[in-house]
Each structure stands twice: as structure tokens, then as C-alpha cells.
Amino acid sequence: MNLASWKILLPALSSVLLMGASSANDLPDPPPCNSCFIGKLLLKDNPADLSGTTKLLGEDLYFVDSDNFVWKAGKGDTTDGATIPDLLKPFVGESFEPDFLPAAVIHDHYTHRAHRVRSWRDTARVFYQAMLVNNVNIVKAKTMYFAVYAFGPHWGVLAKGVPCGKNCVFTAPVQLSASAGGRVVTSAPITLADGKVYAEEGANFSTDHSSELKQVEQKIKLSELRGTPLSLKDLEFLAALSHGENVFLVSE
């Protein structure tokens, strides 16, 4: 994205004030809302990235999910919200769309290898919730949820994160612990029956998945029209059905 584009987009994006905290760095206790953003999305140029692909967060941005867990993308975080894989462009639209970007910023933070303090499933689900809160169309939100759930990064260990307020865990740590149902239960990686340890799997947003994603989008559209919408569990089942070889998708 060129600088001219940034000059047009940044004023709109920096005004995404979803609920003000008492200051840029404070998380109100208790949070003043449920399923909501707290803070303002402010993006700044990244002097370390001459390509302009990434930006820096100018302020803390929080998201409170439906279970009252808090997610934080911190001031100074690097985000590549402008970098939309070719697979997703037909579904997302233009880079840095204001309705999509706040959710993407939160998701970027918690999928970064340095910040995997919550499970990949919980991270995908909060991405979906954050899209809905910012009025992303339900078909688009569910299609994007399927995409990040099936093709996004997966990890089988959690880092013991640094607290950032009540029910808030933020950055990463040194100690790794195995995750079961999103909870830290042991200090060893998960070992599967065949004796292999599956610690992580990188994102695979190859356009080879385009046909599958379009079919899923069509199923979502039809289910919405019929009044029998697909749930997130339904979408997760579809992902496991199509990718039964992927241990992350077929095991809880």
C-alpha cells in the first residue's frame, strides 16, 4: 500500500473509538462492557519497515469477549493488517477495511509466536466475535472464521503470559505449557499416540484452498437464507471433515 493510500485511510481508522478507557494504557476494572472493544485503533508508520507493509499500534486496544476474558493488542505492537493473503482477498475486500481491521489487529497479536498465551481455537473464536461487534456481515465473518480456523496457524502449547488486568493475559513469556481445552495443565508439550510431539503449524493460506472456501461461503449463505444458520461448531466439523489428516483440527 502506498503512502497516498495511508493518508486517506488513517484518519478514518484512527477514529475507531469503540469505548474509551480512562487512559490509553489503563484497563477499567471491571470492564465497562461485554463483547466490546475498549480503546482507540491508532496506526503509525513502522520506521523499521521501509516497505510500509506493517504498521505500529499507537495506543493499547482491548477486546472483552462474551466470557468476559480480555484480549489486548499493545501500544508498539506490529501489525500487518494490510497484508491480506490472496486466498482471502475475494472475501475480505480492500486492505485495512475499518470494519475488519480491529478484529484483525487483536488476532495478529495472539497468533504471533511471541504471544501465544491462549489457545488457537479461542483465538479464532475471539476473531469472529470481534468481527461481529464491529458489524462485519455475518456471512463474511463466518467465512473468515472458517478460513483462520482451518488454514490459520495452530499451536499445541501455551505460553504463561504476563497479566494485563483482570481476566487479561498479554505478552509472552519464557515458560511453555501444554494446553488442554484452552487451559495450561502441564509443563510438557502434548504427546500424541504415535509418539510425535505436535507443537505448532504455520498458516497455510494457499490459493489451493480457494474452491473449498468458496463452497463453505455458499453453504453459509444458504443456511442463513433458510433460517438454519451454521454454528461455529458446524464450521469446525466441516474443517475436520475436509482435513482429517490435520491433528489440530480433529483433536480437542
Side-chain angles (χ1 to χ4, degrees):
M1 178 174 289
N2 59 39
L3 290 178
S5 297
W6 275 106
K7 289 177 182 176
I8 294 170
L9 286 171
L10 277 177
L13 293 174
S14 63
S15 66
V16 182
L17 181 57
L18 301 146
M19 179 160 294
S22 55
S23 80
N25 298 312
D26 293 340
L27 175 64
D29 183 15
C33 53
N34 175 274
S35 294
C36 63
F37 285 94
I38 300 173
K40 182 170 64 175
L41 180 58
L42 177 64
L43 300 177
K44 296 183 176 181
D45 288 334
N46 182 359
D49 181 7
L50 298 180
S51 71
T53 302
T54 62
K55 295 290 172 179
L56 299 179
L57 291 191
E59 294 187 8
D60 293 339
L61 180 68
Y62 297 91
F63 182 74
V64 185
D65 68 23
S66 59
D67 294 318
N68 286 317
F69 286 99
V70 183
W71 304 68
K72 173 186 175 183
K75 180 179 179 179
D77 266 10
T78 301
T79 182
D80 63 350
T83 308
I84 298 174
D86 288 342
L87 172 67
L88 305 181
K89 286 180 180 177
F91 308 94
V92 175
E94 295 298 320
S95 301
F96 279 94
E97 286 197 359
D99 63 343
F100 174 79
L101 184 57
V105 166
I106 295 291
H107 187 258
D108 276 358
H109 177 87
Y110 284 90
T111 56
H112 192 286
R113 289 193 74 199
H115 304 141
R116 290 175 179 173
V117 296
R118 285 182 170 150
S119 75
W120 68 267
R121 282 189 172 88
D122 288 344
T123 303
R125 288 167 188 156
V126 83
F127 177 55
Y128 173 76
Q129 287 185 27
M131 283 190 288
L132 292 187
V133 164
N134 223 30
N135 299 314
V136 172
N137 173 275
I138 188 68
V139 173
K140 177 179 175 179
K142 286 185 177 180
T143 303
M144 289 303 298
Y145 175 77
F146 180 90
V148 299
Y149 184 91
F151 311 129
H154 306 119
W155 54 94
V157 293
L158 292 184
K160 185 180 179 182
V162 176
C164 48
K166 186 176 181 181
N167 290 338
C168 184
V169 62
F170 174 53
T171 194
V174 191
Q175 180 182 358
L176 292 179
S177 299
S179 160
R183 299 181 181 277
V184 177
V185 294
T186 176
S187 59
I190 298 171
T191 303
L192 302 179
D194 61 1
K196 295 181 180 178
V197 175
Y198 291 82
E200 66 177 351
E201 176 183 57
N204 178 13
F205 292 118
S206 165
T207 52
D208 292 343
H209 302 304
S210 294
S211 177
E212 178 184 354
L213 197 54
K214 287 176 182 175
Q215 289 175 14
V216 169
E217 181 191 40
Q218 189 62 21
K219 288 180 180 178
I220 293 169
K221 284 181 179 177
L222 290 174
S223 71
E224 295 292 327
L225 289 171
R226 292 168 178 162
T228 56
L230 294 175
S231 67
L232 298 192
K233 283 291 186 184
D234 292 331
L235 296 174
E236 293 164 10
F237 177 78
L238 286 176
L241 197 63
S242 299
H243 303 277
E245 77 290 349
N246 189 316
V247 67
F248 289 100
L249 299 182
V250 299
S251 60
E252 289 289 340

